[in-house]
Amino acid sequence: MPYHFLWYLLLCIYINNIYSYTTDTTTGTTGTITKKQYHIDVVHAIKHGKHDLSIALLREANEIYPNHVDFLQLLGSLLWSSSEGLEFLTKAMILDNYQTPDIIANYIETLRATGGENIEKARRIGEESLVKHPTNGALIYNLAAIYDTININIGGTSTSNTNSNTNTRLIQLYTQCTEVAPLYINCWKKLINMQIEGGYTDDADRNADLALSNPVFTDPTMRAEVMFLKGLNAHRQNKLKEALVLYLEVTTLIPIEVRPMVWANLAALYHVLGDTTAAVAMYDVVLPHFPDDAMIMNNYGALLGIMGRKEEELLWLTRAHAIDPHMMETCINLGSVYQDAGDIPKALELFDQAKRLDSASATVLTLRQNLMPVG
């Protein structure tokens, strides 16, 4: 499914186009079929999740009307990540003479999805087209997706010049997208998240407030996503009580299955704030949703240890270490449990493992030396 929006948004375009067709007809395998009827049938199939039927109808329509831009575009979009999808969209682009921004948006997204040299081609076409169509939300968002892919492919640090330039362009594009297409919730989310990760905390907070004050965002899930990011921004700044209030409000808007990390963050906050009872209760709710998350298990085990529940502490720390034996925090915590239990060889083994993971850690060196002083 394309990166930039749900199929429902594509359907809106095609539903609007349905009623613009004349009654031109031709005889196909199912009898006399108009372009309008094909559109109606395809829209109905997509709305009801019948992906294969949608493609079959469009293939038939394309045989009967081989140069119909809308059919080519929609068929290419449904096959968006394949070379065949790219072939249909390329034909649509040529017939359209690179004029319609929605077709260009789908085209550059398919170029991005097919990878390789097509990514740079998609970036170039997207930038050129954006000059002509600066207010098309889908085009802006898909161009941002291309830069996001470039960022991932670079694989460098966020402080490298290339990544820095790409991140700057991404923030520009997501900002532009929120201005011209404020209904694109993903633009807001990606912009705010990038600003949090980049340390632009005031900008992130301001944009979260702008999104939440938008009267069109009445959907609880949409509001919860932005509110979670606002809470995360406060959390990162150590504004713990503010974060707590925001996280708790999110839990009134969505079930845990939608965003379990909110509940995980709440558990960690209660722990830091000293409300161990609330923290344990929250971890009990959260853990079934993170069966393989070593960090959450480590944190839970450490909390249980503080509360004197030593057997449970050992159980959860052991589970965490089994899942991720390369997490230094668990090596230290589990080593300390064995040290307290008098199992010095096991403690030394875990502290040595932690030392290999971070030889400069003062905590590890102190623990190691206290057990077996260097002669």
Side-chain angles (χ1 to χ4, degrees):
M1 184 173 171
Y3 187 99
H4 61 283
F5 49 77
L6 297 174
W7 280 115
Y8 179 76
L9 296 178
L10 262 181
L11 291 178
C12 291
I13 299 169
Y14 289 95
I15 290 170
N16 288 336
N17 288 341
I18 286 172
Y19 300 102
S20 66
Y21 293 114
T22 60
T23 57
D24 58 331
T25 62
T26 188
T27 301
T29 57
T30 57
T32 302
I33 306 173
T34 64
K35 295 176 184 177
K36 175 180 174 180
Q37 186 59 50
Y38 266 123
H39 268 76
I40 292 172
D41 291 346
V42 169
V43 166
H44 184 271
I46 294 175
K47 275 187 172 180
H48 290 82
K50 298 178 180 179
H51 185 80
D52 292 341
L53 176 60
S54 306
I55 292 174
L57 286 167
L58 283 165
R59 287 189 188 281
E60 182 178 296
N62 189 54
E63 289 291 326
I64 298 170
Y65 305 103
N67 293 318
H68 191 278
V69 172
D70 281 350
F71 290 148
L72 288 166
Q73 181 196 184
L74 189 50
L75 183 54
S77 298
L78 285 167
L79 299 167
W80 69 286
S81 62
S82 68
S83 57
E84 186 183 18
L86 182 58
E87 181 182 334
F88 285 121
L89 280 165
T90 300
K91 188 174 182 180
M93 286 280 287
I94 293 169
L95 289 168
D96 185 60
N97 198 27
Y98 288 67
Q99 294 300 310
T100 305
D102 288 314
I103 297 178
I104 299 169
N106 283 336
Y107 180 63
I108 64 172
E109 166 57 17
T110 302
L111 283 171
R112 183 197 69 83
T114 50
E117 295 179 355
N118 284 340
I119 295 174
E120 176 54 28
K121 181 179 179 181
R123 187 201 65 78
R124 178 177 52 77
I125 293 172
E127 289 286 9
E128 291 171 356
S129 301
L130 191 57
V131 175
K132 300 176 185 177
H133 308 286
T135 60
N136 186 273
L139 182 58
I140 298 167
Y141 190 77
N142 282 7
L143 180 56
I146 293 163
Y147 278 100
D148 211 9
T149 300
I150 292 170
N151 233 1
I152 293 168
N153 289 346
I154 290 169
T157 64
S158 59
T159 56
S160 68
N161 289 334
T162 307
N163 275 65
S164 179
N165 292 338
T166 305
N167 286 338
T168 299
R169 185 61 179 135
L170 272 168
I171 288 176
Q172 291 171 348
L173 288 167
Y174 286 134
T175 300
Q176 187 177 355
C177 189
T178 62
E179 292 168 352
V180 303
L183 287 176
Y184 278 34
I185 185 65
N186 277 347
C187 282
W188 290 101
K189 286 166 55 181
K190 287 181 176 292
L191 174 61
I192 295 165
N193 193 59
M194 282 202 72
Q195 289 171 332
I196 292 172
E197 294 300 326
Y200 304 109
T201 55
D202 290 343
D203 291 339
D205 210 43
R206 182 175 62 255
N207 280 311
D209 288 337
L210 278 172
L212 290 170
S213 65
N214 192 327
V216 301
F217 285 137
T218 57
D219 179 75
T221 302
M222 287 184 175
R223 295 187 63 80
E225 290 288 347
V226 176
M227 202 170 292
F228 167 66
L229 289 172
K230 184 174 173 63
L232 183 63
N233 193 33
H235 199 164
R236 295 277 183 89
Q237 297 176 74
N238 211 34
K239 298 176 181 178
L240 303 185
K241 291 187 177 179
E242 180 183 338
L244 182 66
V245 170
L246 288 163
Y247 288 152
L248 286 171
E249 189 166 353
V250 172
T251 66
T252 69
L253 297 173
I254 54 174
I256 189 171
E257 291 78 14
V258 174
R259 179 67 77 171
M261 186 52 69
V262 179
W263 280 257
N265 285 4
L266 271 172
L269 269 181
Y270 281 129
H271 184 173
V272 173
L273 292 169
D275 191 342
T276 55
T277 301
V280 168
M282 196 61 66
Y283 275 122
D284 287 340
V285 171
V286 164
L287 280 163
H289 297 274
F290 294 95
D292 300 313
D293 194 308
M295 180 58 77
I296 291 178
M297 292 180 186
N298 171 78
N299 294 346
Y300 186 43
L303 172 63
L304 293 169
I306 291 171
M307 299 174 70
R309 295 162 60 173
K310 296 298 183 181
E311 290 184 5
E312 292 169 278
E313 176 190 22
L314 177 61
L315 172 66
W316 284 104
L317 290 176
T318 302
R319 286 182 182 177
H321 188 254
I323 291 171
D324 186 0
H326 304 294
M327 189 162 68
M328 188 182 71
E329 294 86 350
T330 305
C331 293
I332 292 173
N333 288 338
L334 191 54
S336 297
V337 169
Y338 281 112
Q339 179 184 1
D340 292 342
D343 191 339
I344 303 304
K346 188 66 176 176
L348 281 170
E349 178 186 334
L350 286 158
F351 292 153
D352 283 341
Q353 186 177 356
K355 184 180 177 182
R356 287 193 295 273
L357 294 169
D358 185 358
S359 60
S361 170
T363 301
V364 175
L365 292 173
T366 299
L367 287 167
R368 181 68 175 77
Q369 288 168 357
N370 286 343
L371 277 182
M372 187 176 290
V374 178

